Amino acid sequence: MTEGNFVDYVKIHVASGNGGKGSVHLHREKYITKGGPDGGDGGRGGHVIARGNKNLWTLVGFKFKKHFKAGHGEHGSKNRSSGADGTDVYMDVPLGTLIRDIETNKILFEITEDGQEIVLLKGGMGGRGNWHFKSATNQTPRYAQPGVPGEEQRFTLELKILADVGLVGFPNAGKSTLLSVLTSAKPKIADYEFTTLKPNLGIVEYRDFRSFVMADIPGIIEGAAEGKGLGHYFLRHIERNSILLFLIPADSKDIAKEYDILLNELKRYNPELLDKARLIAISKSDMLDAELKAELKAELDLNLPSVTYTFISSVAQEGLQELKDILWKSLND
């Protein structure tokens, strides 16, 4: 998926349909000159319904279509014939979509299951025809109910991607390169910070035709939890990942310190993120000879004794199968 096609935040305007008017009609046919009231009911207006679709990964479908309007209910007619209901409008959204009120920013709904349907706005009720209002004292009512108007509202759709593994690291740590090597994704890769501005998704193929989803999250900087850099724009995507893969380059001045900074930003944003499984991948390890790697291992064992780590090189294709083995085992434990 190209970066330009990944849309994770849109504002939409939706309107449900008006209910149809009830009919004012008196029954007339041959030999019956003064039949009673037989005006039918109006049909209800169409609903606007959000529906989860597991085959969607982005909100790009809402990039150019942001207005959704359901059909109006038809009016009632003679012989107690009810008007047809207005046409419902379905909006397919990817799993992991939050629907917020645009005014209050309050989360109204969350769609996490395929086929899950949520009525955003109900259509107006149809008016009752005049036959409902006949009585012993008013046998020929010449009035009926109008239909109830539909509703209009603006919503914000916000996507938190659902991925098995989320790549976490500072800008230019090699996350996009790793994703491009392990999957068929084609993220933008360049030698400067914040090359990745939007998350990229890729499917990692594993043994025996098995696979899992990996997400390249834009780089974290210190202070991201307060909104610095890309801030909350990308931190929300980490919430839905099963495993957090911390990518730290081998030429980092202090790997343990970088890991602590990244971990602290996640903790300040949402302490529950620390409950997820974590793994450190030391990238660009092709720059290390055997002696430097041994020194680095001793340092990591001392400073991060409880953390699982592995050495990889995306460019030299080193340690990638071992990395996939560790991730797969962790996903299935």
Side-chain angles (χ1 to χ4, degrees):
M1 179 185 298
T2 60
E3 185 178 284
N5 286 335
F6 190 92
V7 178
D8 58 355
Y9 183 90
V10 293
K11 296 179 180 179
I12 60 172
H13 179 275
V14 302
S16 59
N18 299 330
K21 293 189 296 185
S23 173
V24 179
H25 190 271
L26 301 177
H27 184 67
R28 294 290 185 268
E29 63 176 290
K30 193 174 184 179
Y31 306 121
I32 302 178
T33 56
K34 292 185 178 180
D38 70 345
D41 302 341
R44 72 157 173 85
H47 301 325
V48 180
I49 302 170
R51 178 171 58 192
N53 187 333
K54 66 180 181 181
N55 297 316
L56 299 178
W57 293 95
T58 171
L59 297 171
V60 69
F62 298 89
K63 189 174 183 179
F64 303 106
K65 180 175 173 55
K66 298 184 178 181
H67 293 264
F68 298 86
K69 190 172 184 178
H72 299 314
E74 295 186 6
H75 304 320
S77 57
K78 62 183 180 180
N79 297 328
R80 298 188 184 183
S81 296
S82 297
D85 292 342
T87 304
D88 295 334
V89 170
Y90 287 86
M91 306 185 319
D92 281 358
V93 299
L95 308 187
T97 298
L98 299 178
I99 302 173
R100 297 178 182 267
D101 184 292
I102 207 167
E103 303 296 335
T104 64
N105 205 38
K106 180 182 177 181
I107 296 176
L108 304 176
F109 309 106
E110 183 175 7
I111 295 181
T112 57
E113 297 179 9
D114 184 48
Q116 179 184 355
E117 294 184 3
I118 292 174
V119 178
L120 296 185
L121 292 181
K122 291 185 176 181
M125 291 179 59
R128 294 193 295 175
N130 66 336
W131 74 274
H132 286 280
F133 304 103
K134 66 180 180 179
S135 66
T137 57
N138 185 10
Q139 295 186 4
T140 56
R142 287 174 167 80
Y143 55 85
Q145 288 181 328
V148 176
E151 303 175 285
E152 289 189 45
Q153 193 171 345
R154 297 175 70 205
F155 296 97
T156 298
L157 303 184
E158 181 180 298
L159 175 62
K160 293 182 179 180
I161 57 176
L162 293 166
D164 298 308
V165 180
L167 297 176
V168 181
F170 284 109
N172 209 28
K175 301 185 296 298
S176 296
T177 304
L178 177 62
L179 187 73
S180 69
V181 171
L182 292 182
T183 75
S184 297
K186 304 298 179 187
K188 182 179 179 182
I189 300 172
D191 190 21
Y192 55 83
E193 294 186 352
F194 291 113
T195 309
T196 303
L197 298 176
K198 295 181 180 179
N200 291 292
L201 292 172
I203 298 176
V204 180
E205 294 182 355
Y206 192 60
R207 296 186 175 96
D208 301 324
F209 304 103
R210 293 173 292 184
S211 63
F212 55 89
V213 178
M214 180 176 284
D216 169 20
I217 310 295
I220 294 178
I221 64 171
E222 199 165 4
E226 281 75 46
K228 291 184 180 180
L230 297 177
H232 296 171
Y233 180 81
F234 63 85
L235 280 172
R236 68 171 181 265
H237 291 296
I238 299 174
E239 293 183 277
R240 294 283 174 82
N241 301 155
S242 300
I243 298 176
L244 301 182
L245 176 58
F246 290 79
L247 212 63
I248 302 175
D251 57 356
S252 171
K253 293 181 180 178
D254 190 332
I255 291 177
K257 183 178 180 181
E258 280 201 18
Y259 175 70
D260 287 339
I261 292 173
L262 292 169
L263 211 57
N264 186 51
E265 291 303 321
L266 299 185
K267 180 180 178 181
R268 289 160 68 187
Y269 177 72
N270 183 354
E272 293 181 5
L273 293 176
L274 301 190
D275 296 332
K276 295 181 179 293
R278 303 192 297 269
L279 169 69
I280 297 178
I282 312 300
S283 62
K284 306 178 184 179
S285 60
D286 54 309
M287 298 187 300
L288 304 174
D289 57 24
E291 185 178 346
L292 285 173
K293 190 175 288 188
E295 291 179 8
L296 202 51
K297 283 183 177 180
E299 184 181 326
L300 290 171
D301 291 339
L302 177 65
N303 296 325
L304 300 172
S306 60
V307 181
T308 303
Y309 64 86
T310 186
F311 290 86
I312 66 167
S313 171
S314 301
V315 175
Q317 305 273 306
E318 294 177 0
L320 299 184
Q321 186 57 52
E322 181 184 354
L323 173 63
K324 290 196 284 186
D325 289 339
I326 296 172
L327 292 174
W328 183 261
K329 184 177 184 300
S330 182
L331 284 169
N332 289 277
D333 278 346

